[in-house]
């Protein structure tokens, strides 16, 4: 079971900016020895989950089977899909649904719109909670003690020159998302991209997900997002919430 745990940790190390890993990378990201990381990587390669070019290990399409176990059986993505599509059609923007996972915002459903400019968001992608709109909304739905614990961890990455990492300012942004009913991220994840998200509440009033839109900052202003996007997202989020 210890070997399984290490293997799963190595699998989770892939994603975001870690689309390919060396043995040293895997050992550092999973906090295991290089020998253990190497054994896990080679085993996953033998099983067909990874490809190895002699230096880098990369996921193969077989890796999708692991995520499909959730996506094919979980009710939330399936129930959310028509509401994401409705919001997409109303806004002519891609709309996503994300859930909380230990400091990360993980995307579990998405309705795409065809556009040359891509935000890079995909199902299964993880974004750091501190600088993503979905992450701030999901943080706002946690008890204060859990929010304080998350902010006390430190080690937050400054993704761009605009990324907020200071605990006091992040606390203010999370509280604002809780009060306003939406959260934003303005070029904090990637220069030239801004996003907005709203919470999805279940029947008990708990935040179970965040519905979001990301768009080019050259095409959509922050004011337009607040004025035009938030009401549409909030309406579809409320409709989804009535089903939970």
């Amino acid at each position: 079971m210890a070997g399984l745990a290490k293997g799963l940790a190595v699998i989770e190390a892939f994603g975001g900016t870690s689309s390919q890993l060396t043995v040293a990378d895997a050992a550092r990201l999973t906090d295991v020895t290089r020998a253990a990381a190497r054994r896990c990587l080679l085993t996953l390669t033998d099983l067909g989950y990874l490809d190895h070019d002699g230096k880098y290990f990369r996921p193969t399409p077989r890796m999708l089977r692991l995520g499909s176990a959730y996506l094919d059986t979980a009710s939330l993505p399936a129930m959310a899909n028509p509401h994401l599509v409705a919001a997409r059609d109303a806004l002519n923007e891609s709309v996503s649904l994300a859930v909380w996972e230990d400091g990360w915002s993980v995307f579990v459903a998405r309705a795409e719109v065809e556009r040359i400019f891509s935000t890079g968001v995909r199902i299964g992608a993880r974004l750091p909670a501190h600088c993503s709109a979905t992450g701030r909304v999901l943080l706002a739905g946690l008890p204060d003690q859990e929010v304080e614990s998350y902010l006390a961890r430190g080690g937050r990455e400054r993704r761009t020159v605009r990324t907020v990492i200071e605990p006091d300012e992040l606390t203010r942004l999370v509280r604002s998302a809780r009060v306003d009913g939406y959260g934003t991220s303005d070029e904090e994840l990637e220069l030239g991209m801004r996003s907005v998200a709203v919470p999805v509440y279940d029947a008990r009033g708990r935040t179970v997900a965040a519905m979001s839109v990301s768009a080019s900052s050259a095409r959509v202003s922050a004011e337009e997002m607040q004025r035009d996007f938030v009401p549409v997202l909030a309406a579809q989020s409320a409709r989804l919430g009535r089903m939970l």
Side-chain angles (χ1 to χ4, degrees), residues 14 19-23 25 41 45 50-59:
F14 288 95
S19 59
Q20 59 182 22
L21 299 175
T22 63
V23 171
D25 293 333
L41 289 166
T45 300
L50 300 177
D51 179 57
H52 185 214
D53 65 5
K55 179 179 180 181
Y56 290 104
F57 292 85
R58 299 179 180 86

Side-chain angles (χ1 to χ4, degrees), residues 11 52 59 69 111 132 154 157 174 177 184 193 206 219 230 239 243:
I11 289 172
H52 185 214
S132 60
E157 179 185 5
V174 171
T184 62
M193 185 184 77
R206 298 173 302 184
R219 186 167 47 80
V230 170
R239 292 188 178 99
M243 301 170 63

Side-chain angles (χ1 to χ4, degrees), residues 76 79 97 137-138 140-142 176-183 197-211 233-234 236-244:
L76 180 58
M79 287 191 293
L97 190 79
V137 165
L138 293 168
L142 297 177
S176 177
R178 185 180 294 170
V179 172
D180 297 338
Y182 67 91
V198 302
V200 177
Y201 301 111
D202 65 10
R204 299 173 62 181
R206 298 173 302 184
T207 300
V208 296
M211 190 179 294
L233 290 176
Q236 294 302 326
S237 169
R239 292 188 178 99
L240 173 58
R242 286 194 287 270
M243 301 170 63
L244 302 177

